[in-house]
Amino acid sequence: MYRHLSLVIIALLLIPLNIAHAIESVKVVVLPFEIHARKDLSSLQNEILNVIKTHIKEEGAFILTPEATPSVTLWKTSQSYDAVRKFGIKNGADHIVWGSLTLIGQKFSLDVKMIKSLGEDPPQIFIKEGQGLENLSGVVKQLARDIGMKLFKRETVVSVEIADNKRIESDAIKMIIKTKPGDIYLSKSLSDDLKAVFAMGYFDDIRIEAEDTPDGKKIIFRVKEKPTIRVIRFKGNTVFKEDKVKENLTIKTGSILNPFKVRRNIGRIEELYKEKNYHNVKVTYRIHQLEHNQADLEFDIDEGEKVLIESITFEGNNAYTDKILKKMMKTSEKGFFSWVTSSGDLKMEDVDQDIAKLSGFYYNNGYIQARIGEPQIEYKGNWIYITIKIDEGPQFKVGNVDITGDLVLPKDQLKKRLKITKETYYNREVVRNDVLALTDLYSDEGFAYADISPRIDKDFDNLKVNITYTVQKGKQVFFEYIIIGGNTKTRDKVIRRELGVYEHELYSGRKLKRSVRNLYRIDFFEDIKVNTVKGSADDKMVLKIDITEKPTGTMSFGAGYSSQESVFGSVSVSQRNLFGRGQILNAEGQIGGRTSLYKLSFTEPWLFDIPLSMGVDLYNWETDYDTYDRKSFGGGVGFSYPVYDFVRASIKYNYDDADITNISENAATSIKDLQGTNITSSITTGIIYDSRNRAFNPSEGSKHTATLKYAGLGGNVAFTKALAETGWYMPLVLDTVGFLHGKAGYVTENSGGILPDYERFYLGGINSVRGYDWREIYVLDEDGNIIGGDKFVQFNAECIIPLLKKQGLVGVIFYDAGNVFNNDESVDLSTLRSSTGFGFRWYSPMGPIRLEYGYKLDVNEGEERGGRWEFSMGSVF
């Protein structure tokens, strides 16, 4: 291939042989231009002169420098042409070029003459005009091109054609070729085009042919295409499957076989293996030529043995042992279970993080002059040896701590907020947190640009660090504008009403963070970006909120099996941001083994444009209990209003018409008395505290509710029911979340009415005490029949572990306890029924899907032992 390339280039250079000879024999003198303008533009003389010289020299002319420039009077008029020719002959020039620049206003004119030194031919005239001196350079270049055309009698290119190409389209090749029809025929340009077409990587050979035509030169690029890859095969790979190796390649079947790209992909394969610590891997390739200009490409992989870390050695550490330092690192030596734990694997990103951790460890324990060297990594056979050099320096204690500068509170009060004063030894992390705490404090006072910097003074004699926090508060800043972008559906006012900051109000970092949290809590947005930029003055700020909306309308169909309902089917249509107003409309239906429910609900969260929430719902509900059936329809209307930070008070009226049928013979007397229609007219008051960071799958915060329901405003049902519930979410290590939940209730029958069994308390099932069947925890009446209790307590503790975080899949480990108690019983925590277990949850777009196994820890006589799987689709605690 390279031999052919050399011949092509040589041939290309010989194509215009006669022109090249002519170029070498043309010698030109370019004289300074005369300038006609009202202002002094003498500096343009050399500029014009140099541009013309440069361009005609590039065209192939030899530029002469005359011994002396003649007087302008000798060559500016036609009577002096003989004198100009004599001047040219004297200086050995074939042609002389001279002219003038005339500037009138913004319009300029270039008038140029070129004459042969030998002969009596009149001079050739060139005139170029332009507007504005900023365009002078381009016009001069056009002028030089025209002079070159006349000097060398250039031929033009009439056409550019591509020949012998089969797969690569001609238009794709022509896009690379700069020589176009109408251009001057230049060997240099064609040489550049040859290189550019070769650089496409598609051809083994390229030849350029030039044919004479009456109108000029026809240029033909004859190409020989490289073969295409029919199949890519791998040999010797056992660590990675073929598909995995192919994923890392940039060449595919059907692509052009380019040896340079093949070698680059060998590097990619070797890098893939080295990431898994196969540092001795070697990859070669073979090309199997086939008919029809195709080839098979085979990579031969010699994987070698996996190289693992044999030892990690520290040098210079005195304060801490190797064992302590190794515990700080993610990188570790090969262990007995390395095939499971990946111990001994070398990952450079982990090593870099480990060095940063070690540095931070020393800095946070008083060693402020500690230096951790770059790890020395040696590969010996199938082992890796890592050496880390440490210069610990002395350990410094915390000395005097002070705050100076612009203080918004008395110094003593500010110092109480500092954590470093409670430390014995200097701790860089604590100092950083103190800076953040002070910054937040100042930002809440409107000082958005407060500059707080700790000054560290080392006392080497006493090995103490004196720390002074210097504060420059700057000006108080106000929000000039709040600009909301990215919302194509949600109305601005829906977003603004969730903000705790307002235009022309003093800046507050705490309120701004709370505002962002509020926006995430309404769950309309996938991403929220907040940016603050300076406004029209130093004391003004523009707040930009760019949001990415998520779908809020869902239509879902489901079918499955749950431990409570057996086989069930459900359909739900929901819009949580109706017409972009933040309103919620939901229609759902569910048919299961025990329950049939049809419900329509609507919620307006900001009635009358104040944070007064109103909800209306209608339902038709049928439930098959163990000893009776209940068919009810009804609805309710409720209101809630924020009364304090994170706190809302609510009130709701509900009407329920329940028909009790199919009562079994072994049912309790109180249940048999419910036969027929039972009307409940009730009002419920409540208060809720909700500081969770998200309403769906929270990771921190808490939610507490207390409700009191009074029934007896009409109908035959009359009771008073009190419920209290609390839930706490706590972030733990490695993105795990701890959850503690408690719930208790009490109900009593009011005079003049009845307390139906379905308003009493049962426990058991996936939403109370797991491992027990639905309503398996109950009490007995005086006749020994099963009824619900008039009071209950329930406790749940969970550890939620992310498995596939982006997909919303988590694992759960839990402990449950609870019991119900009869009218004549007091709450006895020692009698709580308990269970433990594990499970999986998928926070899917349709809602949480739960699969959990609960195991009973205490079993009463006659009860089934062991545990049970439970499945559900719907809300959690």
Side-chain angles (χ1 to χ4, degrees):
M1 183 184 75
Y2 298 107
R3 181 176 59 85
H4 292 161
L5 178 61
S6 300
L7 292 174
V8 169
I9 294 174
I10 293 172
L12 181 61
L13 295 175
L14 292 176
I15 289 172
L17 185 59
N18 58 331
I19 295 176
H21 179 73
I23 289 174
E24 293 175 0
S25 63
V26 176
K27 300 175 182 178
V28 181
V29 169
V30 183
L31 299 175
F33 274 47
E34 186 177 5
I35 306 297
H36 303 291
R38 291 187 176 182
K39 51 185 177 181
D40 184 14
L41 297 178
S42 57
S43 61
L44 293 178
Q45 283 186 319
N46 289 332
E47 183 178 337
I48 298 172
L49 184 69
N50 291 335
V51 171
I52 294 177
K53 284 182 177 181
T54 299
H55 279 270
I56 63 176
K57 183 178 181 181
E58 289 178 353
E59 295 287 335
F62 185 79
I63 305 300
L64 297 175
T65 302
E67 295 177 0
T69 302
S71 172
V72 173
T73 57
L74 294 179
W75 50 268
K76 71 178 182 177
T77 63
S78 59
Q79 287 79 11
S80 59
Y81 290 157
D82 290 340
V84 174
R85 289 190 181 94
K86 291 178 181 177
F87 175 79
I89 293 170
K90 180 180 179 182
N91 285 276
D94 299 315
H95 294 80
I96 302 95
V97 177
W98 76 96
S100 65
L101 168 67
T102 302
L103 176 65
I104 301 175
Q106 289 294 314
K107 188 175 182 181
F108 64 85
S109 174
L110 284 165
D111 301 286
V112 181
K113 297 176 183 177
M114 182 175 70
I115 194 170
K116 288 184 178 180
S117 298
L118 299 176
E120 297 180 356
D121 295 338
Q124 293 175 315
I125 308 298
F126 305 90
I127 300 175
K128 291 288 182 183
E129 295 180 344
Q131 189 77 17
L133 288 178
E134 66 273 11
N135 299 313
L136 178 62
S137 178
V139 175
V140 174
K141 290 178 183 178
Q142 295 177 10
L143 176 67
R145 182 177 181 273
D146 293 347
I147 293 173
M149 291 282 288
K150 293 294 185 180
L151 274 174
F152 309 120
K153 298 179 180 179
R154 296 290 193 196
E155 294 184 89
T156 58
V157 175
V158 295
S159 66
V160 178
E161 298 178 3
I162 311 297
D164 300 336
N165 55 312
K166 297 180 176 59
R167 294 186 309 273
I168 311 302
E169 295 183 358
S170 297
D171 288 343
I173 303 173
K174 287 181 179 180
M175 288 179 64
I176 304 299
I177 299 172
K178 292 184 179 180
T179 301
K180 306 295 181 185
D183 288 352
I184 301 172
Y185 175 67
L186 294 174
S187 59
K188 182 181 183 302
S189 297
L190 291 175
S191 177
D192 292 341
D193 289 336
L194 178 70
K195 296 174 183 177
V197 176
F198 258 117
M200 294 176 71
Y202 298 149
F203 309 108
D204 276 335
D205 190 22
I206 304 170
R207 290 180 295 156
I208 300 178
E209 298 176 356
E211 296 181 0
D212 292 323
T213 70
D215 298 323
K217 293 285 189 180
K218 180 172 76 173
I219 307 301
I220 304 171
F221 285 78
R222 294 195 179 275
V223 298
K224 180 182 179 183
E225 294 173 333
K226 291 180 177 179
T228 55
I229 301 172
R230 189 191 67 165
V231 176
I232 299 176
R233 293 193 294 266
F234 300 91
K235 180 182 177 183
N237 56 302
T238 58
V239 175
F240 296 102
K241 293 183 179 180
E242 186 171 301
D243 290 343
K244 179 64 177 177
V245 182
K246 282 185 177 180
E247 285 178 8
N248 284 268
L249 300 183
T250 59
I251 53 176
K252 308 293 180 184
T253 56
S255 60
I256 302 298
L257 180 58
N258 187 322
F260 300 104
K261 289 185 178 181
V262 172
R263 284 192 282 273
R264 283 199 296 269
N265 278 270
I266 284 177
R268 294 177 69 90
I269 296 173
E270 291 179 344
E271 190 61 34
L272 176 67
Y273 273 86
K274 289 177 181 179
E275 288 177 359
K276 288 293 184 179
N277 291 303
Y278 287 86
H279 292 273
N280 297 322
V281 63
K282 291 183 175 58
V283 182
T284 57
Y285 74 96
R286 297 187 185 90
I287 296 174
H288 303 281
Q289 297 289 346
L290 303 172
E291 297 179 349
H292 308 297
N293 203 26
Q294 289 186 318
D296 289 347
L297 175 61
E298 181 179 77
F299 289 99
D300 191 352
I301 303 174
D302 180 5
E303 296 176 331
E305 294 293 329
K306 189 173 186 179
V307 181
L308 298 175
I309 299 172
E310 170 72 5
S311 68
I312 300 175
T313 305
F314 297 93
E315 295 181 2
N317 56 310
N318 297 313
Y320 301 102
T321 63
D322 287 12
K323 184 177 181 180
I324 292 175
L325 297 179
K326 287 178 184 179
K327 285 183 178 180
M328 304 295 301
M329 301 174 64
K330 185 175 181 180
T331 306
S332 63
E333 298 161 343
K334 178 185 179 299
F336 184 76
F337 295 103
S338 62
W339 54 279
V340 176
T341 63
S342 297
S343 63
D345 283 355
L346 176 64
K347 297 180 180 178
M348 290 310 300
E349 59 270 22
D350 289 344
V351 173
D352 292 339
Q353 291 178 9
D354 289 338
I355 297 301
K357 287 179 184 178
L358 291 172
S359 297
F361 175 71
Y362 272 96
Y363 295 156
N364 294 337
N365 285 278
Y367 293 92
I368 60 177
Q369 291 189 297
R371 299 292 181 267
I372 313 296
E374 288 291 325
Q376 298 175 359
I377 301 174
E378 293 183 81
Y379 297 90
K380 295 181 180 179
N382 294 329
W383 296 105
I384 302 172
Y385 299 86
I386 300 178
T387 303
I388 302 174
K389 294 183 178 181
I390 301 175
D391 180 7
E392 292 178 334
Q395 188 178 30
F396 287 79
K397 291 184 177 181
V398 176
N400 296 324
V401 178
D402 196 10
I403 301 177
T404 63
D406 304 323
L407 307 184
V408 295
L409 292 175
K411 184 181 293 188
D412 291 343
Q413 293 186 30
L414 290 176
K415 290 178 71 173
K416 288 180 180 179
R417 298 173 181 261
L418 301 178
K419 304 296 184 183
I420 193 61
T421 57
K422 301 176 179 63
E423 298 287 328
T424 302
Y425 293 98
Y426 175 81
N427 188 314
R428 185 179 65 177
E429 187 66 25
V430 173
V431 171
R432 286 177 177 173
N433 291 335
D434 283 344
V435 171
L436 293 176
L438 290 174
T439 301
D440 289 342
L441 174 66
Y442 274 77
S443 72
D444 288 339
E445 298 294 328
F447 299 102
Y449 303 117
D451 182 15
I452 301 172
S453 56
R455 187 175 72 246
I456 310 300
D457 295 321
K458 303 169 189 173
D459 182 354
F460 289 95
D461 294 333
N462 299 305
L463 292 181
K464 288 186 176 181
V465 174
N466 299 317
I467 306 168
T468 303
Y469 296 88
T470 304
V471 181
Q472 292 180 343
K473 64 183 182 181
K475 293 183 178 180
Q476 281 188 310
V477 178
F478 295 81
F479 287 111
E480 184 176 14
Y481 300 110
I482 298 177
I483 302 173
I484 299 172
N487 53 317
T488 58
K489 177 183 178 182
T490 308
R491 303 190 180 195
D492 273 15
K493 75 172 187 177
V494 173
I495 299 172
R496 288 180 183 271
R497 69 194 187 193
E498 299 296 334
L499 302 180
V501 294
Y502 307 95
E503 291 174 343
H504 311 300
E505 183 189 60
L506 201 61
Y507 174 89
S508 171
R510 177 178 53 84
K511 290 182 179 180
L512 183 56
K513 291 177 183 177
R514 173 69 182 276
S515 300
V516 176
R517 186 169 183 168
N518 288 346
L519 290 175
Y520 273 113
R521 279 165 52 86
I522 62 176
D523 202 33
F524 295 167
F525 312 118
E526 184 176 313
D527 188 28
I528 302 169
K529 294 180 179 178
V530 176
N531 189 24
T532 54
V533 297
K534 286 191 176 182
S536 59
D538 291 341
D539 63 344
K540 294 180 181 179
M541 174 186 288
V542 176
L543 173 62
K544 295 183 178 181
I545 302 176
D546 291 317
I547 65 173
T548 302
E549 294 178 312
K550 65 165 63 172
T552 55
T554 59
M555 182 174 183
S556 62
F557 299 88
Y561 178 86
S562 76
S563 54
Q564 178 176 318
E565 295 290 338
S566 297
V567 178
F568 70 89
S570 65
V571 59
S572 173
V573 179
S574 176
Q575 175 52 259
R576 295 182 294 105
N577 188 13
L578 189 65
F579 306 123
R581 299 175 181 269
Q583 299 164 336
I584 303 171
L585 179 65
N586 186 67
E588 61 179 300
Q590 178 176 320
I591 300 176
R594 289 183 178 271
T595 304
S596 296
L597 172 64
Y598 304 94
K599 185 176 181 181
L600 178 67
S601 63
F602 172 80
T603 302
E604 168 55 73
W606 280 67
L607 189 64
F608 308 127
D609 282 332
I610 61 175
L612 173 65
S613 175
M614 182 193 73
V616 180
D617 61 80
L618 298 171
Y619 62 84
N620 188 309
W621 195 351
E622 296 182 24
T623 305
D624 178 12
Y625 294 97
D626 291 335
T627 56
Y628 62 95
D629 293 342
R630 176 188 175 212
K631 181 185 295 185
S632 66
F633 67 88
V637 57
F639 301 88
S640 71
Y641 191 83
V643 294
Y644 196 68
D645 205 17
F646 298 119
V647 180
R648 296 184 76 93
S650 65
I651 185 169
K652 181 178 182 181
Y653 172 78
N654 195 80
Y655 179 87
D656 180 84
D657 185 326
D659 186 21
I660 306 300
T661 59
N662 298 328
I663 300 176
S664 63
E665 289 296 328
N666 62 345
T669 302
S670 59
I671 295 176
K672 291 179 180 179
D673 292 341
L674 296 174
Q675 179 79 36
T677 301
N678 297 271
I679 303 297
T680 304
S681 178
S682 64
I683 189 165
T684 303
T685 61
I687 191 164
I688 179 171
Y689 173 91
D690 189 354
S691 64
R692 297 174 298 170
N693 60 338
R694 291 187 295 269
F696 193 62
N697 189 22
S699 60
E700 62 178 333
S702 60
K703 181 181 180 182
H704 319 291
T705 60
T707 62
L708 181 66
K709 182 177 182 181
Y710 177 83
L713 303 178
N716 64 321
V717 175
F719 63 87
T720 301
K721 179 187 285 188
L723 290 172
E725 184 175 8
T726 181
W728 302 78
Y729 295 87
M730 298 157 288
L732 304 177
V733 297
L734 300 177
D735 292 330
T736 59
V737 176
F739 174 58
L740 296 177
H741 175 259
K743 190 174 182 182
Y746 173 77
V747 63
T748 182
E749 184 177 279
N750 297 338
S751 61
I754 61 172
L755 172 60
D757 185 71
Y758 52 79
E759 291 290 354
R760 298 175 71 89
F761 302 118
Y762 292 82
L763 290 180
I766 197 167
N767 287 322
S768 59
V769 183
R770 286 159 282 195
Y772 294 84
D773 199 0
W774 181 59
R775 295 165 64 95
E776 186 179 349
I777 301 176
Y778 49 80
V779 297
L780 302 176
D781 65 6
E782 59 272 11
D783 298 323
N785 296 313
I786 296 173
I787 61 172
D790 73 327
K791 58 186 88 65
F792 82 99
V793 292
Q794 169 191 335
F795 301 102
N796 310 94
E798 294 185 348
C799 181
I800 304 170
I801 307 165
L803 300 178
L804 298 173
K805 191 172 182 179
K806 290 185 178 180
Q807 290 73 23
L809 181 66
V810 301
V812 179
I813 302 172
F814 63 82
Y815 171 82
D816 297 338
N819 208 346
V820 298
F821 303 91
N822 210 345
N823 301 14
D824 55 352
E825 294 179 314
S826 59
V827 175
D828 185 359
L829 298 181
S830 66
T831 64
L832 298 186
R833 315 297 301 277
S834 59
S835 65
T836 187
F838 64 94
F840 303 94
R841 291 178 190 164
W842 176 34
Y843 293 94
S844 73
M846 298 180 294
I849 297 176
R850 303 169 62 188
L851 178 64
E852 297 170 13
Y853 180 84
Y855 182 83
K856 298 178 183 178
L857 294 178
D858 57 326
V859 181
N860 290 337
E861 185 177 350
E863 288 184 347
E864 183 179 346
R865 295 181 176 273
R868 61 199 312 272
W869 283 101
E870 299 184 87
F871 172 82
S872 79
M873 295 177 63
S875 61
V876 294
F877 296 115

